[in-house]
């Protein structure tokens, strides 16, 4: 009995995870920042969370806060005072938004 079938608990958990993933993906609005973050999240995008707190990998508190905000799709604290200001240094130009996207692209 059970020959050729993987561990039943593993199969159930994997099935539940796939279903949750599909429901979440369907709930996120097409083209939204949240959907893009969800679809691109992997072990590379959260590598900063495991950075050892020593040189050369040290993130200052300000840098860490920016990294967390970017990871969580939250507005950038550094861009808050600059929101609405025209950026002329970017190849595209544009107005600085609260997430700082025009500065990254």
């Amino acid at each position: 009995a059970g020959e050729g079938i993987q561990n039943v608990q593993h199969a159930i958990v994997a099935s539940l995870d796939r279903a949750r993933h599909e429901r979440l993906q369907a709930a996120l609005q097409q083209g939204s920042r949240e959907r893009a973050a969800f679809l691109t999240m992997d072990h590379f995008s959260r590598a900063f969370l495991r950075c050892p707190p020593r040189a050369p990998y040290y993130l200052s508190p300000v840098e860490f806060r920016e990294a967390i905000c970017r990871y969580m799709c939250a507005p950038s604290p550094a861009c808050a005072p600059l929101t609405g200001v025209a950026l002329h240094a970017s190849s595209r130009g544009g107005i600085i938004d609260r997430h700082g996207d025009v500065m990254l692209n």
Side-chain angles (χ1 to χ4, degrees):
E3 188 174 319
I5 299 175
Q6 57 181 232
N7 179 302
V8 174
Q9 180 179 359
H10 180 271
I12 292 170
V13 169
S15 178
L16 289 171
D17 284 347
R18 274 192 305 277
R20 274 192 211 111
H21 183 273
E22 290 168 6
R23 280 196 314 270
L24 180 56
Q25 190 171 346
L28 294 170
Q29 185 177 18
Q30 195 74 11
S32 70
R33 162 184 303 287
E34 293 80 8
R35 183 180 175 88
F38 176 74
L39 295 175
T40 60
M41 193 170 291
D42 60 12
H43 63 278
F44 292 115
S45 65
R46 56 182 176 267
F48 74 94
L49 294 171
R50 291 179 289 189
C51 286
R54 61 181 182 270
Y57 309 109
Y58 175 75
L59 291 177
S60 72
V62 172
E63 293 166 331
F64 188 78
R65 183 176 59 193
E66 284 295 320
I68 286 287
C69 288
R70 168 100 8 219
Y71 182 71
M72 302 297 290
C73 296
S76 164
C79 289
L82 302 171
T83 300
V85 174
L87 181 67
H88 302 290
S90 170
S91 60
R92 301 182 329 179
I95 304 297
I96 298 175
D97 64 298
R98 61 193 200 124
H99 293 92
D101 289 342
V102 74
M103 295 169 50
L104 296 174
N105 296 319

